[in-house]
Amino acid sequence: MTKSEEKLSLNFIQEIIEEDLRTGKWDGRVHTRFPPEPNGYLHIGHAKSICLNFGLAEQYNGICNLRFDDTNPIKEEDEYVESIKEDVSWLGFDWEDRLLFASDYFEQMYQYAVQLVKAGKAYVDDLNAEQIREYRGTLTTPGRNSPHRDRSIEENLDLITRMRAGDFPDGSRVLRAKIDMASPNLNMRDPVIYRILKASHHRTGDEWCVYPMYDWAHGLEDSIERITHSICTLEFENHRPLYDWCLRELGVYHPQQIEFARLELTYTVMSKRRLLELVQEGHVSGWDDPRMPTISGMRRRGYTPESIRNFCKAIGVAKFNSTIDIARLEHAVREDLNKKAPRVMAVLRPLRVVIDNYPEGQVEELDAVNNPEDAGMGARKVPFSRVLYIEQDDFREDPPRKFFRLSPGREVRLRYAYFVTCVDVVKDAQTGEIVELHCTYDPATRGGDAPDGRKVKSTLHWVSADHAIEGEVRLYDHLFGKPNPDDVETGSDYKSNLNPYSLETLPSCWVEPSVVDWKPGSRCQFERLGYFCVDPDSSDGKLVFNRTVSLRDTWAKIEKAQKKK
RNA sequence: UGGGCUGUGGUGCAAUCGGUAGCACGUCUGACUCUGGAUCAGAAGGUUCUAGGUUCGAGUCCUAGCAGCCCAGCCA
């Protein structure tokens, strides 16, 4: 996309920002924030928000804070803070010196609450949670005022002081904003803004026993940090009137809240609750299981930060609740890895091949290009010898139509090596299973080109049996079998759609020796198969590879179409 | 007779604040190729939720419907 095209199609948030810049609403400033609650791991949906907030700041010469919205000590942990920091920075964003915590504003937020009480706009309520719910009314009927709604300011002040001092047990009292119990927006029916929680906080320890609720805290955090555009997801639209009310009543700096649609992806689930459930029930190996849509899972799977950022840019930002086809994510990694990943040959399901006319004991080091897309990535040597492995899929004794690979009597090219022709098929006497192929090679085709100009229909990857190193390969597929995991029979839940084939482990594959020293995280393309990366489970003796994504596979499509007929 | 938001090809997003629907992903052809990859060229696919209305002209404006999503935590 060129600059001028980008200008022509601004998303609705960019439009707001540019208008603000034009009118000087924020003195030309753009200051956003990414405000995660440290109660779980980040996923690709958060990546959309991160790219949006940091991206907007970058685009308009502004800044973006990383702010932990840690107002509920019961759910929050340092482990999550650390993983979130790692993920945001891995994605390529820098919060510089603006690593912030809502908990650092607890005193100020409390003082603001006192101010609200003094203004007669908040009161301490003795109703319990159940009673508050009853008094709240329903979607179609108005609520009723609490009997404690009209306490004197003095009494409220005394009560809130004692709440903070720890005089009352959990749940016995709350501080409520005094707004309107008949409002059609339930969030405005005297929302609770402080609750008593005698819980230890991951940063403030036991300093506090009252904690602010989201609606009270969030706007104040934005205000204190002098955020200009407070970007959040659609479900907070109903909260905006309250966000505005709080800041207006206090008469403080007042950012603009803007809501956008959260990301949904086909074949996966995105809610923290469900991801946690998958982890806890052992459907996946952990938050960083390569099948998870978490940032840590995708990192382990082999996704690059660039591919995720490109994906987020490509899907756009709007207010329509949409579901993105996971093929777009896969497209984004392929596009990036195609340019960056060195090519390697590996055979996943080995079929032994003996080159009958190749001298026993001879080994040749053949030249192979590391990346045809980038000459700068150089070349390497791969050893060739008399006994090789090729992919089982690359041979058919009885080739169907349009099958171009090896079959009896047919000549194909071994990549960077020689033309070979299949002359014999050896089968297991008992099972009839093909155990070995015999071929002859044409010495004149060394390197892969025939001096007489003859062509072959296909090129196969291969490894030398004596030189290849053994490795484990883990193939991943979609976590769920249906585009929409919620598409279930009545009575069962999304988990009944878990894809039983989402992980296939191939314990003994053969990889060309150039990868011996590779470390976890290294990425490559196994030619003709897909993009892979070295998993942390690798040990000195044995490398473990994760398949990030397969290559586009035209033959698989043809085969599938043929089967349908 | 709760309120808020949204509705454009299979999917996602555009359309210079009325000018006659475009891009991407996906799908399907073909070319090229030492990856059936990549690349390149092309095709199919939309009565812009519906019905009225304003206008020379409406995806854009008006009216009335319909559908979907969100809200009754002392979660965020």
Side-chain angles (χ1 to χ4, degrees), chain A residues 98 293 455:
Chain A
R98 299 179 307 283
K455 302 285 184 192

Side-chain angles (χ1 to χ4, degrees), chain A residues 300-491:
Chain A
R300 186 167 173 185
R301 173 90 169 240
Y303 274 79
T304 57
E306 293 78 10
S307 66
I308 294 175
R309 279 191 259 122
N310 290 342
F311 168 76
C312 290
K313 194 183 291 178
I315 58 175
V317 179
K319 300 194 75 163
F320 179 59
N321 248 314
S322 59
T323 303
I324 308 297
D325 190 335
I326 200 160
R328 297 193 67 130
L329 226 201
E330 296 170 345
H331 172 260
V333 231
R334 287 194 188 103
E335 190 180 43
D336 192 39
L337 257 17
N338 177 47
K339 291 177 293 187
K340 295 178 181 164
R343 277 55 329 184
V344 163
M345 290 199 283
V347 173
L348 269 36
R349 295 178 177 87
L351 173 58
R352 191 179 148 91
V353 174
V354 179
I355 312 294
D356 290 337
N357 60 338
Y358 193 84
E360 205 126 8
Q362 177 172 312
V363 178
E364 289 179 274
E365 294 288 330
L366 301 169
D367 293 309
V369 167
N370 285 335
N371 188 342
E373 301 292 318
D374 181 1
M377 290 177 73
R380 69 189 185 285
K381 300 283 188 185
V382 287
F384 183 88
S385 65
R386 190 165 188 268
V387 181
L388 313 168
Y389 291 120
I390 64 165
E391 212 67 61
Q392 287 171 18
D393 281 351
D394 284 339
F395 176 80
R396 285 292 193 83
E397 190 171 19
D398 185 17
R401 244 169 49 80
K402 291 187 179 174
F403 182 87
F404 303 148
R405 282 112 95 144
L406 195 61
S407 59
R410 184 182 286 177
E411 184 174 55
V412 299
R413 172 170 37 235
L414 294 181
R415 179 145 236 222
Y416 301 125
Y418 294 99
F419 283 16
V420 297
T421 304
C422 176
V423 294
D424 195 19
V425 180
V426 181
K427 295 180 185 174
D428 182 288
Q430 253 76 53
T431 64
E433 183 194 356
I434 298 171
V435 294
E436 184 177 284
L437 259 31
H438 285 265
C439 294
T440 56
Y441 84 115
D442 177 356
T445 58
R446 189 177 198 272
D449 285 304
D452 63 2
R454 75 180 189 277
K455 302 285 184 192
V456 286
K457 286 286 260 180
S458 77
T459 299
L460 310 186
H461 61 275
W462 53 275
V463 294
S464 165
D466 283 344
H467 307 272
I469 57 177
E470 195 174 14
E472 175 177 315
V473 171
R474 298 172 183 172
L475 302 178
Y476 301 102
D477 197 355
H478 303 319
L479 229 199
F480 290 86
K482 290 186 180 172
N484 175 11
D486 280 320
D487 179 10
V488 291
E489 310 278 313
T490 43

Side-chain angles (χ1 to χ4, degrees), chain A residues 193-244:
Chain A
I193 58 177
Y194 265 95
R195 78 285 217 187
I196 301 172
L197 241 37
K198 290 181 174 158
S200 188
H201 186 277
H202 74 112
R203 296 188 76 245
T204 60
D206 297 323
E207 193 185 333
W208 291 88
C209 61
V210 290
Y211 291 91
M213 297 286 291
Y214 170 87
D215 286 307
W216 180 247
H218 205 88
L220 292 176
E221 295 159 21
D222 288 339
S223 178
I224 289 164
E225 295 175 14
R226 300 188 65 78
I227 297 302
T228 54
H229 304 269
S230 175
I231 300 166
C232 60
T233 44
L234 249 30
E235 66 269 28
F236 292 103
E237 251 168 342
N238 294 328
H239 294 250
R240 183 164 16 109
L242 181 50
Y243 180 100
D244 291 335

Side-chain angles (χ1 to χ4, degrees), chain A residues 89-150:
Chain A
S89 114
W90 178 77
L91 278 172
F93 297 103
D94 186 2
W95 54 84
E96 299 173 309
D97 59 347
R98 299 179 307 283
L99 173 63
L100 304 167
F101 293 85
S103 49
D104 286 338
Y105 314 139
F106 280 170
E107 181 61 39
Q108 195 167 356
M109 290 193 282
Y110 176 82
Q111 291 307 328
Y112 276 131
V114 170
Q115 182 184 330
L116 204 62
V117 170
K118 286 179 176 165
K121 297 287 188 174
Y123 61 98
V124 172
D125 199 347
D126 303 352
L127 258 29
N128 62 36
E130 194 183 330
Q131 292 169 317
I132 286 182
R133 194 182 324 122
E134 284 165 16
Y135 274 77
R136 184 155 34 225
T138 70
L139 293 175
T140 50
T141 60
R144 289 139 51 215
N145 286 170
S146 163
H148 311 289
R149 196 175 201 259
D150 294 316

